[in-house]
Amino acid sequence: MRFDRMDRRLELFAYGSTVDAYGQRNPELDAAAYATPWAEVVYAGKAGEKLTAHQLYSTADVVFIIRHPRGSYDIKATDVVKYGGAIWAVQGTEEIGRLEGLKVYTKRQEDA
């Protein structure tokens, strides 16, 4: 596999939780990125729009191709990627070869 097109820097964040005054757990994005890998960005599918709460949001699917982390960190389906001024929700991952690379499938969540 060629990794010469990995020219975009990603920030990977996990969700933690805080407890409010009522004892309820609230999911909250961690303040610091747990990893900042280089990636190749592949825009998959087509862009579109959705109407939510009387506001129009853009939607898109992106696949980020990174070198395999080889145990230094794990990407979970609850994590998010910050890239290009937007937050991308991780939908899943797929291994490339034998620990050569990793495809991270994402969907645009919101602006950062």
Side-chain angles (χ1 to χ4, degrees), residues 77-110:
T78 57
D79 294 346
V80 296
V81 176
K82 281 190 180 180
Y83 167 74
I87 295 177
W88 303 83
V90 174
Q91 303 294 305
T93 60
E94 179 184 342
E95 188 175 314
I96 301 169
R98 292 188 155 187
L99 299 179
E100 290 179 38
L102 199 63
K103 289 183 180 179
V104 181
Y105 296 93
T106 64
K107 183 174 285 294
R108 188 178 180 133
Q109 189 175 28
E110 60 185 60

Side-chain angles (χ1 to χ4, degrees), residues 15-91:
Y15 273 100
S17 63
T18 58
V19 178
D20 64 14
Y22 300 103
Q24 299 287 327
R25 290 199 172 275
N26 298 316
E28 186 175 278
L29 200 60
D30 288 345
Y34 67 82
T36 56
W38 289 98
E40 176 183 347
V41 179
V42 179
Y43 290 92
K46 60 180 181 177
E49 296 175 335
K50 70 176 181 176
L51 185 65
T52 304
H54 300 290
Q55 291 188 351
L56 195 60
Y57 293 95
S58 63
T59 61
D61 295 337
V62 170
V63 178
F64 297 106
I65 300 173
I66 63 172
R67 286 186 175 85
H68 200 285
R70 298 178 188 255
S72 59
Y73 57 87
D74 290 325
I75 300 174
K76 296 179 268 326
T78 57
D79 294 346
V80 296
V81 176
K82 281 190 180 180
Y83 167 74
I87 295 177
W88 303 83
V90 174
Q91 303 294 305

